[in-house]
Amino acid sequence: MTTCWVPGADESPYNIHNLPFGVFSTADETLPRIGVRIGDQILDMHKAVLSGDCQTCAACTALRDPALNRLLTLGKGAWKQIRAQAQEALTESSIQDIATNWLTPLNEAIMHAPLLVTDYVDFTMRAPDAARIYPRASNGRASTLIPSGMDLARPSGHRRGDDGRPVFGPTRALDIEAEVGFLIGGESALGRPVSPDAFEEHVFGAVLLNDWTARDFAELETDGLGPFASKSFATSMSAWVTPIEALSAARTAAPVPNADMASYLKESDRYGFDLHLNIEVNGVAVAGADFAESYWTPAQQLAQLTAGGALLRPGLLYGSGEAVTGQFNLQNGDTVRITATAPGPRGTTIALGEVETRVLPSIT
């Protein structure tokens, strides 16, 4: 079994089989930079590049950026190479002395948004029998994606007042939708659909999402146009992006497809991911879900994104849909935390980066 020289890393769900990417800074080094989480430490990729002989190739240039966007443009080959080099640095004893200087304790790090999301699409995961021909989705608001740790001001909008007539004011029904999000790296051509079998060629990694919903605003929004004010105010996302390669051991058979499914969605290898999601409110577990039960696979949702000819470009994020939802009616001061675990190689466990957000009073 591959072991890591970082103390405690082998026992952590952020072990050598995981290695999620994020962007961080410290009080002493305020420039945001890319890091890879290993146990309770962060491997500073900027420092790693500066210590090497090559600093100007495409990969090294991308790793010196304060966001993951340029890295996402490099494609699967570069992603795999960088991940393999990080694993080597963290397991080879001959590199340990120098690589120790590239580590920052997690408790000293200030986390930032890992990238600038360029587009956001939100799918619905629950598919009734009558809707099992193709996945349904709505275009979201990329500008209101916020990283884990950032507070959320209670949104205001139109809802029904006590007399049943529409009034404008803070939502009285702020709710949670826990989802898994997938970040696009490789680009596609305009007008050319992408097959679900090309999933790993285009998806860099996975994040957890809390796609907040104001249920009372939704009551006044038309079915024809879909959600607007009820969803546009914020979506919280992990500060850490788990490489899709890290989820290889978590592949599991997806539910049997309906015979009426559109032909462009049919997969040669139909699989989902064995992720278990958990929601806590103020430190108390309130809900959980098994992501593997979702009818539409992440690969099919990717294919649906381009079915009409729309292109994929680096930085596009799509949400799986509501793996966990409910009527929680969150109060001001409540803190919501979403976590997820998945099987790793040889009996290990990995974790996706958590999403934690505190609800503040409305500013209107």
Side-chain angles (χ1 to χ4, degrees):
M1 181 176 179
T2 303
T3 59
C4 177
W5 51 260
V6 176
D10 287 342
E11 295 74 38
S12 168
Y14 294 97
N15 51 50
I16 198 68
H17 306 294
N18 193 344
L19 301 184
F21 286 79
V23 172
F24 75 103
S25 62
T26 64
D28 295 331
E29 297 179 282
T30 57
L31 178 69
R33 53 202 185 275
I34 295 172
V36 169
R37 182 170 176 177
I38 178 68
D40 292 328
Q41 301 282 332
I42 301 174
L43 181 68
D44 188 327
M45 301 304 286
H46 189 114
K47 290 181 178 179
V49 169
L50 291 180
S51 69
D53 296 329
C54 174
Q55 298 178 21
T56 58
C57 71
C60 289
T61 301
L63 290 172
R64 295 174 63 185
D65 279 356
L68 296 176
N69 291 76
R70 196 198 303 252
L71 177 60
L72 296 183
T73 69
L74 300 183
K76 181 180 178 181
W79 307 335
K80 289 177 68 70
Q81 180 183 13
I82 291 168
R83 177 173 161 78
Q85 290 171 336
Q87 287 178 320
E88 180 182 9
L90 294 166
T91 55
E92 290 291 336
S93 57
S94 61
I95 307 177
Q96 180 175 349
D97 287 345
I98 185 172
T100 297
N101 299 316
W102 308 338
L103 294 180
T104 296
L106 187 65
N107 59 13
E108 296 180 11
I110 301 165
M111 299 306 300
H112 303 272
L115 77 160
L116 176 65
V117 174
T118 56
D119 287 302
Y120 175 50
V121 176
D122 185 36
F123 282 91
T124 180
M125 194 175 75
R126 309 295 181 185
D129 290 341
R132 294 195 173 199
I133 298 174
Y134 65 92
R136 310 297 172 91
S138 59
N139 289 311
R141 194 76 63 87
S143 60
T144 53
L145 278 149
I146 61 175
S148 176
M150 180 179 287
D151 294 335
L152 170 68
R154 180 177 294 273
S156 291
H158 284 95
R159 53 175 170 77
R160 295 195 186 280
D162 294 337
D163 61 358
R165 300 178 64 183
V167 297
F168 185 85
T171 177
R172 296 177 178 176
L174 184 61
D175 203 0
I176 301 163
E177 287 191 4
E179 305 186 13
V180 181
F182 296 91
L183 275 168
I184 297 297
E187 191 164 341
S188 68
L190 185 66
R192 293 187 175 273
V194 173
S195 163
D197 291 342
F199 174 77
E200 292 195 3
E201 298 296 322
H202 291 279
V203 174
F204 172 78
V207 295
L208 291 178
L209 300 175
N210 186 352
D211 194 36
W212 300 91
T213 301
R215 300 290 177 194
D216 45 358
F217 299 172
E219 292 178 7
L220 295 178
E221 294 182 336
T222 64
D223 292 337
L225 294 177
F228 184 66
S230 61
K231 304 290 287 186
S232 64
F233 55 91
T235 299
S236 299
M237 67 178 289
S238 307
W240 296 103
V241 182
T242 298
I244 208 66
E245 187 179 2
L247 295 177
S248 295
R251 285 191 183 192
T252 188
V256 176
N258 189 301
D260 292 334
M261 180 181 291
S263 60
Y264 66 86
L265 295 170
K266 293 181 179 178
E267 305 145 294
S268 59
D269 180 15
R270 179 171 167 79
Y271 64 88
F273 294 103
D274 185 12
L275 304 175
H276 182 74
L277 278 67
N278 183 65
I279 292 180
E280 296 178 1
V281 177
N282 301 327
V284 178
V286 296
D290 291 317
F291 183 67
E293 296 177 356
S294 58
Y295 178 73
W296 298 114
T297 69
Q300 289 178 312
Q301 291 175 331
L302 173 76
Q304 186 62 35
L305 286 172
T306 66
L311 58 78
L312 302 175
R313 60 179 178 176
L316 185 154
L317 171 68
Y318 66 95
S320 62
E322 59 286 11
V324 180
T325 187
Q327 295 288 338
F328 295 106
N329 291 336
L330 297 165
Q331 304 301 306
N332 295 337
D334 284 348
T335 296
V336 178
R337 187 169 187 263
I338 302 173
T339 58
T341 56
R346 296 181 290 280
T348 59
T349 298
I350 68 170
L352 272 65
E354 70 280 356
V355 179
E356 186 168 316
T357 313
R358 181 179 57 164
V359 179
L360 299 183
S362 171
I363 60 176
T364 58

